[in-house]
Coordinates of all heavy atoms in Angstrom, one line a residue:
G244 N 101.8 96.8 84.0 CA 100.6 96.2 84.5 C 99.5 96.5 83.5 O 99.4 97.6 83.1
H245 N 98.6 95.5 83.2 CA 97.5 95.8 82.3 C 96.2 95.1 82.9 O 96.3 94.3 83.8 CB 97.8 95.3 80.9 CG 97.7 93.8 80.7 ND1 96.6 93.1 80.4 CD2 98.7 92.9 80.8 CE1 96.9 91.8 80.3 NE2 98.2 91.7 80.6
E246 N 95.1 95.4 82.3 CA 93.8 94.8 82.7 C 92.9 94.4 81.5 O 91.7 94.7 81.5 CB 93.1 95.7 83.7 CG 93.0 97.1 83.3 CD 92.3 98.0 84.3 OE1 91.3 97.5 84.9 OE2 92.7 99.1 84.5
R247 N 93.6 93.9 80.5 CA 92.9 93.6 79.2 C 91.8 92.5 79.4 O 90.9 92.4 78.5 CB 93.9 93.2 78.2 CG 94.8 94.4 77.8 CD 96.0 94.0 76.9 NE 96.8 95.2 76.6 CZ 98.0 95.1 75.9 NH1 98.4 93.9 75.5 NH2 98.6 96.2 75.7
R248 N 92.0 91.6 80.3 CA 91.0 90.5 80.5 C 90.3 90.7 81.8 O 89.8 89.7 82.4 CB 91.8 89.2 80.4 CG 92.2 88.8 79.0 CD 92.9 87.5 79.0 NE 94.2 87.6 79.6 CZ 95.3 88.0 78.9 NH1 95.2 88.4 77.6 NH2 96.5 88.1 79.5
G249 N 90.2 91.9 82.3 CA 89.3 92.2 83.4 C 89.9 91.9 84.8 O 89.2 91.8 85.8
R250 N 91.2 91.8 84.8 CA 91.9 91.7 86.1 C 93.3 92.3 85.9 O 93.8 92.4 84.8 CB 92.0 90.3 86.6 CG 92.8 89.3 85.8 CD 92.6 87.9 86.3 NE 93.5 87.0 85.5 CZ 94.5 86.4 86.0 NH1 94.9 86.6 87.2 NH2 95.2 85.5 85.2
D251 N 94.0 92.5 87.0 CA 95.4 93.0 87.0 C 96.3 91.9 86.5 O 96.5 90.9 87.2 CB 95.8 93.6 88.3 CG 95.1 94.9 88.7 OD1 94.5 95.5 87.8 OD2 95.2 95.3 89.8
E252 N 97.0 92.1 85.4 CA 97.9 91.1 84.8 C 99.2 91.9 84.4 O 99.3 93.1 84.6 CB 97.3 90.3 83.7 CG 96.2 89.5 84.1 CD 95.6 88.6 83.0 OE1 96.1 87.5 82.8 OE2 94.7 89.1 82.3
L253 N 100.1 91.2 83.7 CA 101.4 91.7 83.4 C 101.8 91.5 81.9 O 101.3 90.5 81.3 CB 102.5 91.0 84.2 CG 102.2 91.1 85.8 CD1 103.0 90.0 86.5 CD2 102.6 92.4 86.3
L254 N 102.5 92.4 81.4 CA 103.1 92.3 80.1 C 104.5 92.9 80.1 O 104.8 93.7 80.9 CB 102.2 92.9 79.0 CG 102.0 94.4 79.0 CD1 103.1 95.2 78.3 CD2 100.7 94.7 78.3
I255 N 105.3 92.5 79.1 CA 106.6 93.1 78.9 C 106.7 93.8 77.5 O 106.4 93.2 76.5 CB 107.7 92.1 79.0 CG1 107.8 91.6 80.5 CG2 109.1 92.6 78.6 CD1 108.8 90.5 80.7
W256 N 106.9 95.1 77.5 CA 107.0 95.9 76.3 C 108.5 96.1 76.1 O 109.2 96.8 76.8 CB 106.3 97.2 76.5 CG 106.3 98.2 75.4 CD1 106.7 98.0 74.1 CD2 105.9 99.6 75.5 NE1 106.6 99.1 73.4 CE2 106.1 100.1 74.2 CE3 105.4 100.4 76.5 CZ2 105.8 101.4 73.9 CZ3 105.2 101.7 76.2 CH2 105.3 102.2 75.0
D257 N 109.0 95.6 75.0 CA 110.4 95.8 74.6 C 110.5 97.0 73.7 O 110.1 97.0 72.5 CB 110.9 94.5 73.8 CG 112.4 94.5 73.6 OD1 113.0 95.7 73.7 OD2 113.0 93.5 73.5
L258 N 111.1 98.1 74.2 CA 111.1 99.3 73.4 C 112.1 99.2 72.3 O 112.0 100.0 71.3 CB 111.5 100.5 74.4 CG 110.4 101.2 75.1 CD1 109.4 101.8 74.1 CD2 109.7 100.3 76.1
A259 N 113.1 98.3 72.4 CA 114.1 98.2 71.3 C 113.4 97.7 70.0 O 113.8 98.1 68.9 CB 115.2 97.2 71.8
T260 N 112.4 96.8 70.2 CA 111.7 96.3 69.0 C 110.3 96.7 68.9 O 109.6 96.4 67.9 CB 111.8 94.7 69.1 OG1 111.1 94.3 70.3 CG2 113.2 94.2 69.0
D261 N 109.8 97.5 69.9 CA 108.4 97.9 70.0 C 107.5 96.7 69.9 O 106.5 96.7 69.2 CB 108.1 98.9 68.9 CG 106.8 99.7 69.3 OD1 106.4 99.7 70.5 OD2 106.1 100.1 68.3
T262 N 107.8 95.7 70.7 CA 106.9 94.5 70.7 C 106.5 94.2 72.2 O 107.2 94.6 73.1 CB 107.7 93.2 70.2 OG1 108.9 93.0 71.0 CG2 108.0 93.4 68.7
E263 N 105.3 93.5 72.3 CA 104.8 93.2 73.6 C 104.7 91.7 73.7 O 104.4 91.0 72.8 CB 103.4 93.8 73.7 CG 103.2 95.2 73.9 CD 101.8 95.6 74.0 OE1 100.9 94.7 74.2 OE2 101.5 96.8 73.8
T264 N 104.9 91.3 75.0 CA 104.7 89.9 75.3 C 103.9 89.9 76.6 O 104.3 90.3 77.7 CB 106.0 89.1 75.6 OG1 106.9 89.2 74.4 CG2 105.8 87.7 75.9

Side-chain angles (χ1 to χ4, degrees):
H245 73 87
E246 48 183 320
R247 294 172 178 174
R248 286 179 290 274
R250 66 188 183 108
D251 290 346
E252 295 183 88
L253 305 160
L254 65 84
I255 292 178
W256 178 15
D257 191 336
L258 274 298
T260 59
D261 195 25
T262 57
E263 289 180 14
T264 303

